[in-house]
């Protein structure tokens, strides 16, 4: 099974804040810098992107947040006819705008190269045909991860979690899975029980 953690983790930088609102892990350049360094292993597959010395600025932040908005809009389309994450329900980019933004970000020219270390499986590395700046390389790596996921077979397992106080997307691991994790399942069952209790208590 392909590893789609990079694009899912980008989408999940929008999360519930624990107080009824939404928090953004990419709220400033320092948040993006920390996120990129935390995801260095996945991002370093792109030889044009050196994450060890990456430091975000306001332009990098705006570029990645715009790409994230496109990804979340396309995630919302992927889970239809179910509703999108409540974090996006009222402010989704139009699908055509999201597609244009994603494809433009992914369009940094690359050529495939085969790498085959001794004692390991071969793998493809996409080398840039030019030398993009760090922000362009970052956006391209994230956009290509999104394209690979959305065009791949795992897209059909994508769901929005609708447990109380959750705004996450997740990949459904088994047929009966309704929520992104056990804590959300517990909250949803408690909320359902309380609703039934209120209905029975009404005169």
């Amino acid at each position: 099974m392909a590893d789609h953690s990079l694009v899912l983790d980008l989408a999940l930088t929008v999360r519930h804040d624990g107080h009824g609102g939404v928090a953004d892990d990419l709220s400033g350049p320092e948040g993006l810098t920390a996120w990129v360094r935390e995801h260095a292993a996945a991002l370093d597959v792109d030889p044009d992107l050196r994450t060890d010395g990456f430091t975000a600025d306001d332009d990098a932040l705006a570029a990645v947040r715009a790409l994230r908005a496109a990804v979340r809009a396309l995630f919302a389309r992927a889970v239809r006819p179910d509703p999108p994450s409540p974090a996006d329900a009222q402010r989704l980019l139009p699908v055509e705008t999201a597609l244009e933004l994603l494809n433009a970000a992914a369009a940094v020219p690359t050529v495939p190269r085969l790498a085959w270390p001794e004692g390991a499986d071969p793998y493809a590395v996409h080398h840039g045909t030019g030398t993009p700046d760090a922000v362009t390389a970052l956006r391209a790596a994230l956009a290509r991860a999104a394209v690979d996921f959305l065009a791949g077979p795992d897209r059909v397992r994508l769901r929005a979690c609708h447990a109380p106080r959750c705004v996450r997307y997740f990949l459904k691991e088994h047929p009966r899975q309704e929520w992104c994790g056990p804590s959300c399942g517990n909250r949803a069952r408690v909320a359902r029980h309380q609703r039934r209790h209120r209905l029975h208590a009404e005169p």
Side-chain angles (χ1 to χ4, degrees):
M1 186 182 301
D3 179 7
H4 299 299
S5 58
L6 185 62
V7 67
L8 288 168
D9 285 353
L10 175 64
L12 299 182
T13 56
V14 173
R15 59 181 173 76
H16 193 273
D17 66 2
H19 305 289
V22 175
D24 185 354
D25 291 338
L26 307 183
S27 59
E30 63 286 344
L32 177 57
T33 299
W35 189 86
V36 167
R37 292 180 182 179
E38 182 182 328
H39 291 79
L43 288 164
D44 280 345
V45 171
D46 189 327
D48 293 318
L49 184 57
R50 300 289 175 253
T51 56
D52 51 354
F54 180 85
T55 302
D57 58 15
D58 288 336
D59 290 341
L61 179 65
V64 172
R65 290 179 78 183
L67 181 64
R68 181 186 62 187
V71 167
R72 288 183 67 92
L74 296 172
F75 276 19
R77 182 180 188 180
V79 302
R80 287 193 292 198
D82 292 335
S85 163
D88 302 317
Q90 304 303 319
R91 55 192 179 109
L92 288 170
L93 288 177
V95 168
E96 287 304 319
T97 302
L99 285 170
E100 287 173 13
L101 202 158
L102 183 70
N103 288 329
V108 175
T110 63
V111 293
R113 301 268 185 200
L114 185 67
W116 201 339
E118 189 67 37
D121 290 333
Y123 61 93
V125 178
H126 293 271
H127 285 274
T129 56
T131 307
D133 61 80
V135 175
T136 301
L138 174 62
R139 287 179 69 228
L142 295 172
R144 286 194 288 266
V147 168
D148 288 346
F149 170 67
L150 290 165
D154 287 333
R155 182 195 70 251
V156 298
R157 299 193 298 120
L158 186 70
R159 300 289 186 274
C161 184
H162 291 287
R165 303 192 311 275
C166 189
V167 297
R168 296 171 62 93
Y169 285 97
F170 68 97
L171 290 183
K172 188 170 183 169
E173 300 295 338
H174 54 82
R176 297 186 62 195
Q177 184 178 359
E178 295 181 54
W179 305 287
C180 67
S183 59
C184 279
N186 290 338
R187 281 201 310 276
R189 284 187 283 272
V190 167
R192 190 182 299 156
H193 174 77
Q194 290 173 339
R195 277 195 304 273
R196 280 198 303 261
H197 185 72
R198 280 197 301 271
L199 285 172
H200 285 51
E202 289 174 2

